[in-house]
Amino acid sequence: MKKILLLAALFTATAAFAGFNLGNLNVGDTVKNLGKVAHGVFTGVGPKEEQTIGESVSVEIINKYGGLVRDEAITRRVNLVGKSLANYCDRQDLVFRFGVLNSPSINAFSAPGGTVLITKGLYDQVQNDDQLAGVLAHEISHVTKRHAISIIDRDETFSGAAGVASNVGAASSKADIAKYSKGAGKVSTTLMDKGLDPSKEFEADKAGTQLAATVGYAADGLEQFLKLLQQHETGKTKFFPTHPPLDKRIQKLDAEVARR
Amino acid sequence: MKRINLIFFACSLGALLVTGFEAGKPAFTKRYETAVLKDPQPMAESIATLPYAAEVKVTGLQGKWANVSTTNGAGWIYLGNLAEEKPAADHSVDWLRASANETTASVAARPLDEVTKEYAGQKGMTSAADDLQWLQAQSDKLDKKTVTDYLKASRKGEYQ
């Protein structure tokens, strides 16, 4: 009992320090959850924080890439294929949404929390749903494997108590907004300027290929599309600029597909 | 008989190559509730319902279905409903339950987070925030039933 009280006191202090609104907090649940914190189950960014940061990251991407293509038919097609894949992905706690950016460049992004954005240039180049599924499954895999959000996972501002706060509610104070803005800025810069670590891109290629194949799309959909792009790539034109070189991706995908 | 064994072997090999699941290894449920079916087909009788992150033992593979043994007996689960690794975040359960119970209307009606609005306002990106709100509304028009109908019509997922 002493241990529980001590943990409760510790949590209250931690939550207060983190600036979360405790108004709707269920004390019983909190003490139970606190035990999980103590045992290390709650680490990193929780689903609510991930969604909140993801929304801001999505806004950054949409702003930089010319806004969204507000075409209902295109958006419906991309969402049907995307949601078919997301229906079987490893993170059923997220709501995935898929949109098309009004940019002629060829690129794709996934924000934490489940918003996947592809450019109109990419959408116009895909020849069939298998290729589209290959691209979307790659982006879904980045989210399920928490590639982008892990950039701030180890940030002390979001660790431990942030996981508990996911059960409490949305951020409310100025301190929260500043904290979330900092996180969103960090993730946006990585996604749009630097790109993720190449090992994470290759991991998403592999996991995406597996997801697409399991759902019933061609296992080589992504590889087909990358090969198509490769034919048009020149020294001046680079597709998927925030991703590893096409030839390296194709080489690894070829081995993966051949293994199947 | 030999032919049936050969077909079963070929299907098992196919499943192994498509995914990393293997007979003899554990797998984990990833939905809030997962039905264990009597036969490897989506409309088969349900013999048990497993909670989130339940461990099952894969005893065999047929196409994209895993034969699993559970404490309630043996049955079939579509591979897309299983994870090779145990879902890590236990705190997802509450969130998952809330998402599962949420109606499409309530999801569609949800505005952008206050933090997002504030963030967009501070950075002069309100137009992009409007676009995101539009996307969420469009995307959420496709409810679970619409997606399931699409899966059935296009013979995807467990309807292959």
Side-chain angles (χ1 to χ4, degrees):
Chain A
M1 187 63 193
K2 267 187 183 174
K3 191 179 172 187
I4 291 173
L5 286 174
L6 185 66
L7 289 171
L10 178 65
F11 169 71
T12 308
T14 309
F17 175 73
F20 290 106
N21 182 351
L22 298 174
N24 300 321
L25 193 60
N26 177 317
V27 176
D29 283 352
T30 304
V31 174
K32 265 195 290 179
N33 290 338
L34 190 56
K36 294 179 184 175
V37 174
H39 289 95
V41 175
F42 281 153
T43 54
V45 181
K48 177 61 194 165
E49 289 79 21
E50 185 176 349
Q51 192 179 55
T52 301
I53 292 164
E55 277 192 0
S56 296
V57 171
S58 302
V59 166
E60 286 271 9
I61 296 169
I62 291 169
N63 183 67
K64 183 168 178 179
Y65 283 84
L68 274 187
V69 174
R70 289 202 185 196
D71 181 306
E72 291 191 16
I74 289 175
T75 305
R76 181 181 168 83
R77 179 192 171 201
V78 174
N79 273 276
L80 280 172
V81 174
K83 283 175 182 277
S84 299
L85 295 160
N87 195 45
Y88 302 104
C89 78
D90 281 352
R91 289 202 56 198
Q92 294 298 313
D93 56 329
L94 300 177
V95 176
F96 279 84
R97 298 179 176 102
F98 304 83
V100 179
L101 297 160
N102 195 13
S103 164
S105 66
I106 293 182
N107 214 339
F109 304 93
S110 50
T115 300
V116 173
L117 299 163
I118 62 172
T119 58
K120 181 69 164 45
L122 187 154
Y123 179 83
D124 287 339
Q125 288 296 320
V126 291
Q127 296 171 316
N128 51 49
D129 281 356
D130 287 324
Q131 293 179 8
L132 179 59
V135 171
L136 298 179
H138 168 98
E139 295 303 328
I140 289 169
S141 298
H142 277 312
V143 180
T144 58
K145 292 190 173 297
R146 300 171 60 88
H147 284 163
I149 203 70
S150 66
I151 294 164
I152 53 171
D153 245 355
R154 284 181 292 276
D155 187 327
E156 62 182 14
T157 315
F158 285 97
S159 66
V164 177
S166 66
N167 297 330
V168 177
S172 56
S173 70
K174 281 185 180 175
D176 287 339
I177 290 167
K179 181 184 68 181
Y180 281 84
S181 296
K182 187 182 163 197
K186 208 168 171 181
V187 173
S188 300
T189 303
T190 302
L191 290 181
M192 294 192 293
D193 299 338
K194 291 187 251 175
L196 291 166
D197 187 86
S199 65
K200 289 181 175 173
E201 294 295 349
F202 293 130
E203 189 183 15
D205 277 349
K206 186 177 176 181
T209 295
Q210 185 169 307
L211 175 62
T214 300
V215 178
Y217 291 99
D220 66 345
L222 178 61
E223 188 187 4
Q224 281 177 33
F225 183 61
L226 296 185
K227 282 181 174 173
L228 179 74
L229 294 182
Q230 196 178 34
Q231 292 169 10
H232 301 288
E233 200 167 48
T234 64
K236 287 180 182 173
T237 318
K238 189 173 184 303
F239 303 116
F240 285 115
T242 54
H243 293 65
L246 288 180
D247 57 344
K248 286 193 177 168
R249 293 180 69 190
I250 290 168
Q251 190 183 359
K252 283 181 180 282
L253 279 168
D254 205 32
E256 181 64 24
V257 174
R259 199 179 64 82
R260 292 168 190 282
Chain B
M1 188 63 189
K2 270 186 180 175
R3 194 175 166 199
I4 292 172
N5 283 340
L6 193 63
I7 292 170
F8 185 78
F9 174 74
C11 288
S12 300
L13 188 64
L16 176 61
L17 294 178
V18 166
T19 70
F21 295 103
E22 276 182 61
K25 286 196 170 177
F28 303 88
T29 58
K30 59 190 181 189
R31 297 186 184 283
Y32 181 57
E33 287 181 337
T34 302
V36 182
L37 305 176
K38 194 174 177 183
D39 300 300
Q41 24 182 296
M43 302 312 287
E45 182 189 339
S46 172
I47 57 170
T49 302
L50 300 175
Y52 176 72
E55 181 173 340
V56 296
K57 185 179 176 188
V58 176
T59 55
L61 295 161
Q62 184 176 320
K64 292 176 182 174
W65 291 78
N67 189 243
V68 299
S69 68
T70 73
T71 50
N72 294 326
W76 296 89
I77 299 178
Y78 170 62
L79 293 177
N81 292 330
L82 288 172
E84 290 171 61
E85 292 172 16
K86 187 177 174 107
D90 284 3
H91 62 273
S92 289
V93 178
D94 292 337
W95 184 252
L96 201 60
R97 180 170 49 221
S99 303
N101 292 338
E102 209 163 28
T103 63
T104 308
S106 67
V107 170
R110 185 194 296 147
L112 290 181
D113 197 291
E114 285 303 315
V115 175
T116 310
K117 288 182 193 168
E118 183 82 18
Y119 185 85
Q122 283 175 1
K123 301 193 101 182
M125 297 178 182
T126 50
S127 172
D130 288 345
D131 274 348
L132 181 62
Q133 178 86 68
W134 178 86
L135 174 62
Q136 293 189 352
Q138 290 295 316
S139 177
D140 294 343
K141 280 183 187 173
L142 302 177
D143 59 11
K144 282 181 184 172
K145 184 184 177 304
T146 308
V147 175
T148 302
D149 289 346
Y150 177 78
L151 288 166
K152 285 178 183 172
S154 54
R155 300 179 69 82
K156 298 284 188 253
E158 61 252 69
Y159 307 101
Q160 291 171 66

